[in-house]
Amino acid sequence: MRRSYLISALLLVGLASGQPGATYITPELQRLIQAGGQNYANVLLKQAPDQALCSIHRNRLPPEVLGPFIEEQRRLIKYPEGGRLMGDWKRGEAIYNTLARGNCFSCHAGSPLNIGGNVGPSLEKYGQRGTSEAVQRYTYEVIYNPWAYFPCTVMYRFGHGGLLKPEEIADVVAYLLDPSSDFNTKPALRR
Amino acid sequence: MRKNRLYRVLGLALLGFALGVALTQGQQELDPYKEAERQRELFRQTAGILPGELYAAQGEELFHAKRGPKQVSLEACDFGLGPGKLEGALTQLPRYFADTKRVEDLETRIVSCMVRLQGFKPEEVKRDEVKALVAYVASKSSEMPINVVPRTSQEIAMYNLGRELWYHRAGDRDMNCAICHEAYAGRKVRLSPVRSPRQGLSNEWPAYRFEADKLYTLQDRIAFCYESVGIHPPDYYSEPYIALSMYMLAEATRGKNRFTEMPGFTR
């Protein structure tokens, strides 16, 4: 327990200074990972300090780590040029419903095109929240970096991880929020 | 002669599969367990044999044939219960082996025996042969209780490393195993139910996956997990697989789980 707090403190320092060296990987774990081959080890050994924190705390950050962690995650969020947070819902539809892109339907219910999973909350009729600036911003930020709101969650940090460009995230925001989007006008597909 | 018969049966099975696909068009079952059960019945009715059983039959021939530079069979291979003892062998793997001085799972042990007993060079060992042999040896542990309890220092170390790897988040999707197979056990990703190791995750492998029309060993299945989250999987027979298998199967043991029919039949 004591050891894990010490490592947390070291990692937080690493996180704050942006140093990539902070890690909890022991020499034994490093050797094991390297035994899996170069391509595998390249990914697993290049662990960021925030990923390391989620790992050692088994995805549940203790209170003293939580504050600085969320602050850091908020700092990582970038916005589309021009600041438009709602793009084209048609383009967003393709991203949301494509396995190799947003893959949102695998975990969330609500799409009229795919039966959703239930790992994440249902997004059915998400547009009922309206399109105020606050709702747009929250939706955009959760997709760009979920860890700023739900630290260590399974949802990919689409913007931070480089999986979607800011403009593409704005398209998904439009798919969810635009009153004329199929997401809000057509019934969700159910199992 | 036996080989000829095998191919005839294989042809029949393929026919059965095509029939099965034709019959299922347009009425897709949404519960993957029920759908697997239905597909399995179709194979039974149309071909009279399951694909997993064909792989096992192929493995049985390979196991008893005199092969390799030393022209010997694998009958002297010790899977932890004594040379040639296959009954229940899978239930207690991975485990530590004094002769190779390392912890091995079923797949790695088969390779070790092909190298040490039959004289193959490691690079000559064919993946398809190992898979068939895995299916055969596993078939002798059908529906038996899983019994992986780390005891030696090497086994305990492997279990602990497996647990670290299980929780290790990495890659541009921040993935690890636990974030799905623990936090969301009991939920569904698309149509697939997510299970935790304690709930018996890993108790159906090796298995024939009817959607892929291929036999998947546990290593294949772990590799598939890595691929689906954009991480290049470890090389076959390498330690990350052994560590993760050790962790999952020891946890499955704690959860008092049994293997399914072996080889399994699944989506």
Side-chain angles (χ1 to χ4, degrees):
Chain A
M1 210 55 221
R2 221 198 165 92
R3 184 170 158 263
S4 100
Y5 280 122
L6 191 70
I7 298 170
S8 288
L10 284 171
L11 282 168
L12 278 174
V13 172
L15 203 60
S17 63
Q19 275 176 10
T23 179
Y24 72 101
I25 301 174
T26 59
E28 294 77 33
L29 185 60
Q30 183 173 347
R31 197 196 50 72
L32 182 102
I33 290 171
Q34 279 166 341
Q38 193 67 50
N39 291 326
Y40 174 71
N42 279 350
V43 178
L44 268 80
L45 294 178
K46 213 172 59 191
Q47 191 187 43
D50 46 15
Q51 292 177 327
L53 278 172
C54 292
S55 302
I56 53 166
H57 294 296
R58 308 306 195 214
N59 304 321
R60 283 191 202 105
L61 299 181
E64 66 277 15
V65 176
L66 206 52
F69 185 92
I70 289 175
E71 267 175 51
E72 171 64 17
Q73 296 302 316
R74 292 196 64 82
R75 269 200 295 277
L76 297 172
I77 300 175
K78 294 186 178 66
Y79 299 89
E81 277 183 48
R84 251 174 55 117
L85 298 179
M86 262 175 69
D88 177 344
W89 73 259
K90 261 290 175 194
R91 283 203 299 259
E93 177 183 60
I95 295 167
Y96 184 104
N97 290 292
T98 305
L99 203 73
R101 301 196 72 199
N103 191 22
C104 313
F105 69 94
S106 280
C107 296
H108 297 281
S111 167
L113 296 179
N114 283 294
I115 294 171
N118 62 3
V119 160
S122 168
L123 301 175
E124 193 170 352
K125 299 285 173 290
Y126 187 84
Q128 285 172 351
R129 291 158 177 78
T131 55
S132 67
E133 204 273 338
V135 168
Q136 286 185 39
R137 176 172 295 273
Y138 171 77
T139 307
Y140 179 90
E141 288 180 349
V142 167
I143 301 171
Y144 192 98
N145 187 359
W147 285 13
Y149 290 92
F150 313 105
C152 307
T153 179
V154 66
M155 184 167 153
Y156 303 162
R157 295 183 288 172
F158 285 96
H160 178 64
L163 303 165
L164 295 175
K165 294 198 237 348
E167 292 71 22
E168 292 174 320
I169 294 174
D171 292 337
V172 176
V173 173
Y175 182 54
L176 292 171
L177 288 179
D178 195 322
S180 59
S181 157
D182 278 0
F183 200 84
N184 295 314
T185 59
K186 292 191 175 167
L189 215 58
R190 296 176 182 282
R191 58 178 85 243
Chain B
M1 194 58 218
R2 275 179 87 176
K3 208 159 194 159
N4 261 336
R5 197 198 61 193
L6 198 68
Y7 284 125
R8 250 200 329 271
V9 180
L10 191 71
L12 258 172
L14 284 173
L15 186 76
F17 180 74
L19 244 151
V21 169
L23 287 172
T24 53
Q25 288 297 313
Q27 45 156 323
Q28 222 204 337
E29 175 63 65
L30 292 181
D31 180 333
Y33 291 118
K34 280 191 204 144
E35 176 62 9
E37 192 51 44
R38 219 165 62 81
Q39 294 282 350
R40 187 179 171 286
E41 274 316 299
L42 276 170
F43 268 110
R44 272 271 179 257
Q45 285 164 16
T46 52
I49 191 165
L50 298 179
E53 293 168 346
L54 282 174
Y55 285 105
Q58 197 191 342
E60 184 174 12
E61 287 199 7
L62 287 166
F63 190 85
H64 296 289
K66 292 184 169 47
R67 302 174 69 235
K70 296 189 189 166
Q71 285 297 299
V72 292
S73 77
L74 286 171
E75 283 156 13
C77 186
D78 185 348
F79 291 96
L81 302 174
K85 293 258 185 298
L86 303 183
E87 208 66 31
L90 176 65
T91 64
Q92 41 93 61
L93 290 169
R95 60 169 288 158
Y96 177 77
F97 289 92
D99 54 3
T100 54
K101 293 195 175 53
R102 55 181 202 159
V103 179
E104 296 179 307
D105 63 358
L106 177 55
E107 302 173 49
T108 313
R109 187 61 185 165
I110 286 170
V111 174
S112 289
C113 284
M114 289 174 77
V115 170
R116 293 165 64 88
L117 296 176
Q118 297 183 310
F120 286 109
K121 293 197 184 84
E123 63 272 18
E124 291 170 344
V125 172
K126 293 200 181 79
R127 180 70 188 150
D128 281 348
E129 293 182 353
V130 175
K131 285 170 71 161
L133 285 159
V134 165
Y136 172 57
V137 177
S139 73
K140 304 289 181 188
S141 297
S142 213
E143 292 173 28
M144 288 187 187
I146 304 172
N147 186 24
V148 175
V149 182
R151 287 195 181 85
T152 70
S153 60
Q154 297 90 341
E155 287 165 357
I156 291 166
M158 195 56 91
Y159 171 88
N160 287 333
L161 287 168
R163 189 177 53 197
E164 287 308 305
L165 206 49
W166 179 261
Y167 286 102
H168 184 87
R169 299 195 73 166
D172 54 17
R173 298 185 206 186
D174 305 308
M175 288 307 274
N176 67 8
C177 312
I179 197 67
C180 288
H181 288 286
E182 190 175 288
Y184 295 104
R187 305 279 185 100
K188 284 183 175 177
V189 174
R190 289 190 292 284
L191 301 175
S192 309
V194 179
R195 286 196 296 164
S196 71
R198 288 271 173 124
Q199 292 169 343
L201 176 74
S202 71
N203 75 340
E204 53 189 354
W205 311 101
Y208 171 76
R209 291 182 71 189
F210 62 85
E211 280 190 352
D213 188 24
K214 266 190 215 153
L215 184 85
Y216 275 61
T217 66
L218 185 53
Q219 291 197 10
D220 291 320
R221 187 58 190 86
I222 295 170
F224 183 72
C225 252
Y226 275 118
E227 277 162 10
S228 60
V229 298
I231 295 176
H232 193 288
D235 299 338
Y236 282 123
Y237 318 119
S238 67
E239 284 192 328
Y241 288 117
I242 295 163
L244 285 172
S245 306
M246 180 63 116
Y247 176 72
M248 288 190 286
L249 288 161
E251 291 297 306
T253 303
R254 284 183 182 164
K256 303 203 186 315
N257 291 280
R258 286 172 176 271
F259 279 107
T260 61
E261 157 190 62
M262 285 281 116
F265 187 102
T266 188
R267 182 162 171 253

